Amino acid sequence: MTLPGTLAAPVAERGSRTGGVRLSGLTVRVYRGDRDNRDYSWDEPTSLALLRANGRPEDMAIMRQWRGHAYTAMTADLLDGLARPLPELDLVVLAYQTPDLHVGEAAGCYLAQRCPGDPASFAISQQGPGAAFTALRVADSMHAFGALRAGAVFVLDQTTPLCEPGTDWRAQLDATVLVEVGTDGPVLLHRTWEAEGDPVELLANAIGQQDVGRIVVGATLGARLDRRTQADPRLLIGPGEHGCTSAFVALEKLWPVTEPVLLADYDPDAGRLHAGWLGPVESR
């Protein structure tokens, strides 16, 4: 349980051999300008229902104007470009801020079939930029209970009118991030947590609790930091063209990490900071 205004303790003992799940890979793919122009008119009834549910006019022209890359297409492109194949997986998790614009495609089912090992799959959403952190916490907990040897967390941004009114798609980028997790890998996830309250105070509290080499935050959190924190030479803020992938796009610049890293982002709707401590395995 998260205690409002405080840093929550880890949700479970990080038992097992490592004391936490390991990260073995971080892969990022960003789409710059090229759009998916397939015809999704067969999706019209569901698309109109989504527009209505999100308070938009029921006009398919709105959907056709956006045409972001489908989640299945983005994950397929990323998997096709991997330098090495994935191992047999126990788990696939999708993490995203907004529902897939192409509602007729089930990305979780696609990935369960596409990835080796017949993995279980599910999605985490409605947590803003915190969705990916929750996905990592789920993977860490499964690892602690011996239920995860290898897994994949896909973090997805798609420019869509459904939940971001007034957003200009030209100011946003579609992107997907793959975080490989399991019993092996050079980076250790020491713990993750979430806390409610002022993001500047919460981040300062986290920084003061443990030695940190770098502080990596997503754009949503970075935009809310005070000048003193923004001037910290250890701070790296993710690009503003991204939503829930922003912190991980920034983390890729340091991958694989060679010093302790505080990774964090902020969900403004819930007023909640999501964070995690990462470090090289030998730093335990």
Side-chain angles (χ1 to χ4, degrees), residues 181-248:
V181 296
T183 57
D184 299 311
V187 177
L188 180 68
L189 179 63
H190 292 281
R191 74 181 185 102
T192 61
W193 72 92
E194 60 185 44
E196 296 177 6
D198 178 77
V200 176
E201 294 180 3
L202 292 171
L203 186 65
N205 189 12
I207 294 170
Q209 286 193 6
Q210 183 170 325
D211 291 337
V212 57
R214 297 299 300 267
I215 306 159
V216 180
V217 305
T220 305
L221 176 57
R224 288 163 171 77
L225 298 180
D226 57 14
R227 291 183 179 179
R228 179 179 178 182
T229 307
Q230 289 181 340
D232 191 318
R234 299 170 297 176
L235 182 68
L236 178 61
I237 300 177
E241 299 87 358
H242 299 276
C244 61
T245 62
S246 181
F248 296 86

Side-chain angles (χ1 to χ4, degrees), residues 36-89:
D36 183 348
N37 290 318
R38 285 181 289 168
D39 180 13
Y40 290 92
S41 58
W42 54 271
D43 255 347
E44 184 167 338
T46 308
S47 296
L48 291 174
L50 274 173
L51 287 170
R52 180 172 63 253
N54 286 277
R56 308 290 187 273
E58 294 182 45
D59 183 356
M60 278 299 292
I62 297 175
M63 303 293 275
R64 296 190 184 100
Q65 174 187 353
W66 285 71
R67 290 182 173 174
H69 296 83
Y71 286 167
T72 52
M74 288 197 286
T75 54
D77 289 343
L78 189 149
L79 290 171
D80 289 341
L82 288 179
R84 54 178 176 77
L86 291 174
E88 292 200 352
L89 302 179

